[in-house]
Amino acid sequence: MNNKIVVIITALVVLNILALYSIRPYGYNFSSMLRIAENEKEGVVPEYFQKGFVVFTDGGGYDGQYYYYASMDPLIRNGLYKNPFRQQRVLYPLVSRALSFGDVSLLPLAMYATNIVAVVFGMYFFILIIGQFGLSPAWSLLYGLSPATIMTVQYSLPSPLSMALIIAAVYFYMVRENIWTATAIFALAFLTREDTVMVLAPLVLWDFQMKRSFKRGAVLIASLVPFLIWQYYVASRLGSLATVASSSVINPVPFAGIVGFLKTLTFGGVKQTLRELSAVVVFVYFMAVAIAVLLALKKKRHLFYYVTLAYCVLSVFTVPSQWDNFNGLLRMFYGLFPFLVLSYAIEKNIALKYCAVFIAGLTFLTAIRIVFISPVFPFKVW
């Protein structure tokens, strides 16, 4: 069997096993991946609670429920769900709704299937890119089974679709040298998650350094146009701009977030201690990656270095609340994992190799968290 297929199937088997294990306490009900809560600070839409759905009665709510709400009304016709921050990420709800074939009771399964298919396509294009640098397809597992992939699939979030689109766009830009197709795919990525800018901004800089063309930069930046149009539409329907909320995870003071988090550490029971130490490990890791990339940049400039370093810099300005959330933390830095592997591919730098391989350690911690640490929350079947 083709090595590419074997690697992708391996990732899918592990992803599905972990995802199914995570919903085992809830009778393997796929709606439990949505993490719908009866009481949630960002708003509850009981009109969208469906018969047979798992609803959490005390804790357990998470962001997947908001994308489910958006999937119920992706074009904001009814306006029951009024959060512009979530509604701006329209592509994932639209694709999920299409895959439900008009039966909204199938949305939990459709959202899960959307992400699984996204991982397949993302790994496919990723393998094509690293093949240009002589890396084995097996290296794609550090993307396909990265902690961010596992957790965002498990919680029905739009990140796998966003990252697959970003990787596809980079493939068409770098391997096929088709800037127009890359721009079109970036436009779709922005409609999935606005933090696609973490890749587009370094790409525009890199492109100008290589081509010295303002026209090419304008073409790439044009990928923002559909996103801006959709922003206007969301604001017209819901009365506020989504981008305001998008900036809430950033603190303009460097290191204020991690320092603020460290001040809150209590080290109670074993689970709490492991949870808090995991965030410290992640921060130290990000700083190690930043140093390795900076050293590599002294020898050679490259797009992959720029993107990886951008994510490391983002960690320096991340607010304390994100450091207190292992799930949210690693998915916020999803792009670091594939682009770190791509950074190693450039010149086979030994420091970057060790940093990339460490992703496997974080994946192991994620699996341990799912199997042994993640709590079972009170729930009822609607």
Side-chain angles (χ1 to χ4, degrees), residues 126 129 162-163 166-167 169-171 173-174 186 195-207 209 220 286 289-290 292-294 296-297 300-316 332-344 346 352:
F126 190 81
I129 296 173
S162 170
M163 191 52 56
I166 288 172
I167 291 170
V170 170
Y171 166 78
Y173 170 83
M174 183 154 281
F186 267 121
D195 57 5
T196 298
V197 72
M198 293 296 297
V199 179
L200 181 68
L203 177 60
V204 172
L205 173 62
W206 163 255
D207 187 83
Q209 288 180 341
L220 289 166
F286 286 168
V289 172
V293 172
L294 285 170
L297 274 170
K300 181 176 183 178
R301 294 182 181 181
H302 198 281
L303 168 64
F304 299 156
Y305 292 158
Y306 288 176
V307 176
T308 304
L309 185 61
Y311 279 102
C312 293
V313 171
L314 178 64
S315 71
V316 172
M332 181 178 174
F333 298 97
Y334 195 165
L336 181 139
F337 302 112
F339 281 94
L340 174 55
V341 177
L342 292 172
S343 294
Y344 163 65
I346 297 169
L352 288 173

Side-chain angles (χ1 to χ4, degrees), residues 96-381:
S96 299
R97 185 62 182 262
L99 285 182
S100 70
F101 301 106
D103 185 348
V104 293
S105 69
L106 296 178
L107 270 175
L109 183 58
M111 292 170 72
Y112 180 69
T114 298
N115 279 337
I116 290 296
V117 172
V119 172
V120 171
F121 278 96
M123 289 187 69
Y124 172 75
F125 284 110
F126 190 81
I127 289 170
L128 292 180
I129 296 173
I130 62 176
Q132 299 293 309
F133 297 92
L135 282 190
S136 162
W139 282 90
S140 70
L141 291 172
L142 295 177
Y143 151 55
L145 290 178
S146 70
T149 303
I150 293 171
M151 288 186 291
T152 53
V153 167
Q154 178 189 345
Y155 288 108
S156 296
L157 305 177
S159 305
L161 179 58
S162 170
M163 191 52 56
L165 290 167
I166 288 172
I167 291 170
V170 170
Y171 166 78
F172 280 101
Y173 170 83
M174 183 154 281
V175 179
R176 300 290 293 273
E177 298 184 356
N178 188 329
I179 192 172
W180 293 100
T181 300
T183 297
I185 299 174
F186 267 121
L188 294 175
F190 270 109
L191 290 172
T192 312
R193 280 186 65 96
E194 69 287 350
D195 57 5
T196 298
V197 72
M198 293 296 297
V199 179
L200 181 68
L203 177 60
V204 172
L205 173 62
W206 163 255
D207 187 83
F208 183 76
Q209 288 180 341
M210 297 298 293
K211 306 293 185 179
R212 299 294 176 181
S213 169
F214 287 104
K215 180 180 178 181
R216 286 176 59 88
V219 170
L220 289 166
I221 292 172
S223 63
L224 282 163
V225 172
F227 172 75
L228 294 175
I229 293 172
W230 181 250
Q231 287 279 315
Y232 174 79
Y233 177 78
V234 171
S236 70
R237 298 293 295 174
L238 300 179
S240 61
L241 281 172
T243 48
V244 175
S246 301
S247 61
S248 63
V249 296
I250 303 299
N251 189 319
V253 181
F255 299 102
I258 187 62
V259 171
F261 169 72
L262 291 174
K263 289 179 179 179
T264 67
L265 296 184
T266 56
F267 300 113
V270 174
K271 287 187 178 181
Q272 182 179 348
T273 300
L274 289 174
R275 176 175 175 271
E276 294 178 340
L277 283 177
S278 63
V280 177
V281 169
V282 170
F283 178 76
V284 173
Y285 172 62
F286 286 168
M287 294 303 98
V289 172
I291 293 170
V293 172
L294 285 170
L295 292 174
L297 274 170
K298 291 177 66 176
K299 297 181 179 180
K300 181 176 183 178
R301 294 182 181 181
H302 198 281
L303 168 64
F304 299 156
Y305 292 158
Y306 288 176
V307 176
T308 304
L309 185 61
Y311 279 102
C312 293
V313 171
L314 178 64
S315 71
V316 172
F317 295 95
T318 301
V319 296
S321 59
Q322 291 298 118
W323 290 104
D324 193 36
N325 181 348
F326 186 80
N327 290 339
L329 179 63
L330 288 185
R331 68 183 175 87
M332 181 178 174
F333 298 97
Y334 195 165
L336 181 139
F337 302 112
F339 281 94
L340 174 55
V341 177
L342 292 172
S343 294
Y344 163 65
I346 297 169
E347 291 190 317
K348 312 301 188 295
N349 180 295
I350 190 67
L352 288 173
K353 179 180 181 179
Y354 287 136
C355 288
V357 170
F358 190 77
I359 296 172
L362 292 175
T363 295
F364 176 75
L365 289 177
T366 302
I368 292 297
R369 183 183 180 88
I370 291 172
V371 176
F372 297 108
I373 298 177
S374 295
V376 177
F377 293 97
F379 71 97
K380 62 184 177 184
V381 178

